[in-house]
Amino acid sequence: MSIIFHEKSKIFHLHNDSISYIMMILENGHLGQLYCGKRIHDREDFSYLLEKAPRPMSSCVYEDDKTFSLEHIRQEMPVYGTTDYRHPAVEVLQENGSRISEFGYQEHRIFSGKPRLEGLPATYTEDDSEAETLIITLKDELTGIKVELSYTIFVKGGIVAKNMCFFNEGNGSVHLTQAMSLCLDLPDYEYEWIQLSGSWARERHVKNRILTHGITAIGSMRGNSSHEQNPFIALKRPSADEQQGEVFGVSLIYSGNFLMQAEVDAHDTLRVLAGINPSGFDWKLDPGEHFQTPEAVLVYSDKGLNGMSQTFHGLYQKRLARGYWRDRERPILNNNWEATYFDFTEEKLVEIAEKAKECGVELFVLDDGWFGKRCSDHAGLGDWIANTERLPNGITGLADRIEDLGMKFGLWVELEMVNKDSDLYRAHPDWILATPGRNQSHGRFQHVLDFSRKEVVDHIYEMIAKILSEAKVSYIKWDMNRSITECYSAVLPSDRQGEIFHRYILGVYDLYERLTSRFPHILFESCASGGGRFDAGMLYYAPQGWASDNSDAAERIKIQYGTSMCYPISSIGAHVSVIPNHQVFRTTPLHTRANVAYFGAFGYELDLNKLSEEEIKEVKEQVCFMKKYRKILQFGTFYRLKSPFEGNEMVWMAVSEDQKTAIVGWYRILNCVNATFTRVELQGLNPNYQYSNSQTGRVHYGDELMNLGLITSDSTAGQAEGDAVPCTDFESRIYVLEAVE
């Protein structure tokens, strides 16, 4: 059993080989948090961990007890206003204007497996033996609001998945104004906070903060998880690093407005909250209705940040991503966007695809500009009908021509948006999110369709499903190029307008679910102007995402490094693009562009016809290399060894499951002269295996490479002369280490 309930002490203990999570029913019926961390032995009574003492100026629950103040007790579902002055996990606005609630224990149940969440992405099990679930029911007797707190502990790994579901069993309506998915109260705040932050073209950079008294928080109010912040944080002990030490990771499986917050109080305890951002959120709950929060995943590791990341990678790759493409190596693709932008014909596309086929590319993707009157970004969005002036035989005809080349065909869409210059908008101007009497802001000359309305989602579904059912489409790149403004629906009453942001995301999830269910063999890639919605919620429907519109190799090192903190390498769309790069106008070597993109879902974002014969030869070698090693690169155990945020060099590596093959990526941003000799200590090898180094031909034991290190010195260590291979800025190398008998 992974979940134990001790009846006498009223204590729950969730545990496996990695983690213990211990809770207690308090004397007032609330649920208290006693311990979360490294696995410890079970015992009948952990109540000694509930420390109470009389404190001056504290408000206390019981008339004759000066020690029981919720201000100083760690809790699972805290509310504000009943002696706890910290930020709450839940707030319920009642008809009389009160926001005070008292949720007391009613019952619990423990069972094998993991239930699905209604209308929301979540981790899952394929066999009930993989996990156990505890559902604890709390109820506020005055209002009749019942809450089910769900905890799933997986048999393997330090993983606890949490969510809440609210039921109105009372006689009156209430409004949920705060409904977090996770609250974790910890006894001290000696942690460094790690977040993934940035903006368009520089997403998910690793940022560190030292926690101190007060609030540390990230979030989004843009309607999408955003380029600026990612719904993931890590808390690491100051002594922890990539290889060792205690780390907590929190990931929210959600694609809309979110909040992740740490609050350190005056007595040095730490409260972590994760869930839907309460700013602008107001969900009306009528009698008989229920509301389900998204799932939050808590990971504990005592093996450093790599240990935490590998736990997330394994879980999200195998038990969050789903379907036909979950475990399959991803096809090498060529996307025409940076090759042509809107300036293309069918013959031009086939010419690009023919050259890609010659180089061994497996999938050709037609990007923006194939539909309606879409000759620029001013028109056509919403009219998902092929432009026969550009494609005389439509998508079906082009797809057939690509298939006849021996390649698969893919298509770009942006289903959530509309241009005002479109037949769809002219027919349904009320289908966009827009506030009456207010300015209608645009982004990239487009407006957001009201996906909180079923008829809107149904219409878009029918249009795109018609194309996918008629044409041989094997891949869909699903883009989303602007955040939500003027968030107002023309059909919902005034007291439900606070639901629109969440209802919008539920509509997106519904459309994804319907399309992926009807077309299970299509590979969906999520995209949001690059990385604006690269989150765990999307991964449930699309097993890979376009990590960033910035394809510059030097910038992508940082973006992909940060992304790997939480998300598996197989989920990271990464392409080789033209030089000078179209985002930063930088020139980097062709081999470095490939060496970065190998660690992801690999492809090309250029017209290969424009490369020299020597470059085409190199591309063919790159494609062969990727085909040979992509299973390891995409699904192997991934280690970060040197951070691009801390120096001029960056190193990462992937190791096969049997530890017989390892691929090390080494990157240096700026060239050096008369530099030091360099080496890097590898990870994940079998210490008793001997490995042959593809760069040098030398053979080393695994323990040598992990303890002495892999030598990466080159001609910059001194003065390059004679037969020394010259180096340049943005240099890189791939070391393949193969076990030898």
Side-chain angles (χ1 to χ4, degrees), residues 399-426:
D400 286 343
R401 292 185 69 179
I402 300 300
E403 288 264 340
D404 289 344
L405 293 175
M407 301 176 73
K408 296 297 182 182
F409 176 73
L411 197 61
W412 176 97
V413 296
E414 189 171 6
L415 303 177
E416 302 160 57
M417 304 293 159
V418 65
N419 291 122
K420 287 192 173 182
D421 185 3
S422 68
D423 293 339
L424 178 63
Y425 180 80
R426 285 184 281 270

Side-chain angles (χ1 to χ4, degrees), residues 477-540:
K477 179 180 179 181
W478 184 319
D479 210 342
M480 192 280 294
N481 276 296
R482 65 154 295 186
S483 298
I484 292 173
T485 56
E486 293 86 48
C487 185
Y488 187 95
S489 174
V491 298
L492 285 180
S494 60
D495 61 352
R496 288 193 178 272
Q497 290 297 324
E499 303 174 11
I500 305 304
F501 277 117
H502 183 61
R503 287 186 180 273
Y504 176 88
I505 289 297
L506 293 180
V508 173
Y509 290 156
D510 176 56
L511 184 56
Y512 256 115
E513 185 68 36
R514 292 159 70 178
L515 289 173
T516 55
S517 297
R518 182 169 173 183
F519 306 101
H521 291 93
I522 291 180
L523 171 59
F524 282 78
E525 177 174 282
S526 64
C527 177
S529 193
R533 206 162 61 187
F534 196 107
D535 55 62
M538 287 291 103
L539 192 55
Y540 184 74

Side-chain angles (χ1 to χ4, degrees), residues 85-106:
Y85 297 99
R86 294 167 291 179
H87 283 250
V90 172
E91 186 173 76
V92 182
L93 175 61
Q94 296 139 54
E95 289 182 327
N96 65 0
S98 171
R99 298 174 187 265
I100 301 297
S101 301
E102 284 278 358
F103 289 99
Y105 171 84
Q106 274 203 323

Side-chain angles (χ1 to χ4, degrees), residues 546-648:
W546 184 226
S548 176
D549 279 346
N550 190 344
S551 55
D552 171 70
E555 292 296 319
R556 266 307 189 102
I557 289 170
K558 294 179 179 179
I559 293 167
Q560 292 174 217
Y561 186 97
T563 303
S564 75
M565 281 283 173
C566 182
Y567 305 103
I569 304 306
S570 59
S571 73
I572 302 174
H575 297 172
V576 175
S577 62
V578 72
I579 53 169
N581 175 266
H582 287 193
Q583 290 77 50
V584 300
F585 311 105
R586 180 182 286 132
T587 296
T588 56
L590 179 56
H591 70 271
T592 291
R593 283 174 271 158
N595 289 347
V596 174
Y598 285 148
F599 289 83
F602 183 79
Y604 292 87
E605 193 94 9
L606 46 76
D607 183 352
L608 292 166
N609 289 291
K610 296 181 178 180
L611 300 188
S612 67
E613 289 186 13
E614 183 178 349
E615 288 173 322
I616 288 296
K617 179 183 177 183
E618 189 173 350
V619 167
K620 291 178 179 179
E621 292 171 352
Q622 292 169 358
V623 170
C624 288
F625 176 87
M626 189 64 192
K627 288 179 179 179
K628 181 176 181 179
Y629 291 110
R630 64 180 153 187
K631 182 176 181 180
I632 300 169
L633 290 162
Q634 294 174 351
F635 295 95
T637 304
F638 182 78
Y639 296 86
R640 294 177 299 271
L641 304 179
K642 283 191 174 183
S643 169
F645 301 100
E646 297 176 0
N648 194 39

